[in-house]
Amino acid sequence: MTAEELVQRYAAGERDFSGASLREVELISVQLPGINLSAADLIGADLTGSNLSQADLNGANLAGARLRQTNLSGANLSDANLKCAVLETARLEDANLTRANLIDANLTYTKMMRSELFEARVSFVNFSYANLKGARFFGFMHYEQGNIIVDHTVMPNGKIEKEYRLL
């Protein structure tokens, strides 16, 4: 499916694109709130500046995707593959990232207030300057002490880690 086809079908009222093949698609600054992209192949996609609030991305493959300044507030990203994804300045407030693969993801400057990251894979994730206030972390998988980066990061308890360090 092409980017143009997806946007046209969405504009016509269609919302269910589960399982769609959108590998390396360019959907820059598009408005797709509430879209269902569960189990979609979005490897290498460029979704920079798009609105995917309340989207269903459960089980989607977003490995290597560019999600800078993307609004993912309230999105379901459970079981999503975000390995090596770039989410700089993305909005992930109230997002569900349960069991998401965030290995090597760049989450600098993200807003992740009240997000759920239960059993997320977080090795080598950069949370520098991110706001994690109220985020819920439990049961990290593939986590070794010393490989999560925080620097001027608002931690879930509201405390600011002001110096670069590895957790």
Side-chain angles (χ1 to χ4, degrees), residues 23-91:
R23 189 176 285 228
E24 297 185 11
V25 70
E26 288 190 14
L27 290 165
I28 299 170
S29 298
V30 296
Q31 300 297 311
L32 302 169
I35 193 167
N36 181 355
L37 289 166
S38 59
D41 179 358
L42 292 153
I43 293 174
D46 191 348
L47 300 159
T48 301
S50 293
N51 181 357
L52 298 172
S53 60
Q54 304 299 319
D56 186 353
L57 292 153
N58 178 30
N61 192 346
L62 291 147
R66 292 173 302 284
L67 298 153
R68 287 183 184 93
Q69 300 176 346
T70 300
N71 184 352
L72 292 158
S73 297
N76 179 6
L77 291 148
S78 58
D79 298 303
N81 182 11
L82 291 153
K83 184 175 182 180
C84 299
V86 178
L87 292 121
E88 288 176 58
T89 66
R91 292 184 55 200

Side-chain angles (χ1 to χ4, degrees), residues 2-145:
T2 66
E4 296 78 20
E5 181 183 357
L6 178 112
V7 171
Q8 288 173 353
R9 289 170 57 182
Y10 182 91
E14 189 173 344
R15 296 294 181 267
D16 188 359
F17 298 91
S18 55
S21 179
L22 297 161
R23 189 176 285 228
E24 297 185 11
V25 70
E26 288 190 14
L27 290 165
I28 299 170
S29 298
V30 296
Q31 300 297 311
L32 302 169
I35 193 167
N36 181 355
L37 289 166
S38 59
D41 179 358
L42 292 153
I43 293 174
D46 191 348
L47 300 159
T48 301
S50 293
N51 181 357
L52 298 172
S53 60
Q54 304 299 319
D56 186 353
L57 292 153
N58 178 30
N61 192 346
L62 291 147
R66 292 173 302 284
L67 298 153
R68 287 183 184 93
Q69 300 176 346
T70 300
N71 184 352
L72 292 158
S73 297
N76 179 6
L77 291 148
S78 58
D79 298 303
N81 182 11
L82 291 153
K83 184 175 182 180
C84 299
V86 178
L87 292 121
E88 288 176 58
T89 66
R91 292 184 55 200
L92 290 153
E93 299 103 327
D94 302 301
N96 181 355
L97 292 131
T98 299
R99 294 178 306 279
N101 180 358
L102 295 166
I103 295 172
D104 286 322
N106 183 346
L107 292 159
T108 57
Y109 294 98
T110 56
K111 294 178 182 173
M112 299 182 72
M113 292 81 79
R114 301 170 308 280
S115 291
E116 295 183 6
L117 291 106
F118 298 123
E119 298 180 355
R121 295 166 189 89
V122 294
S123 289
F124 306 104
V125 174
N126 188 344
F127 285 110
S128 295
Y129 295 90
N131 188 337
L132 304 170
K133 188 173 184 179
R136 296 185 290 176
F137 292 80
F138 180 76
F140 280 149
M141 298 174 68
H142 300 287
Y143 164 70
E144 297 171 18
Q145 187 167 351

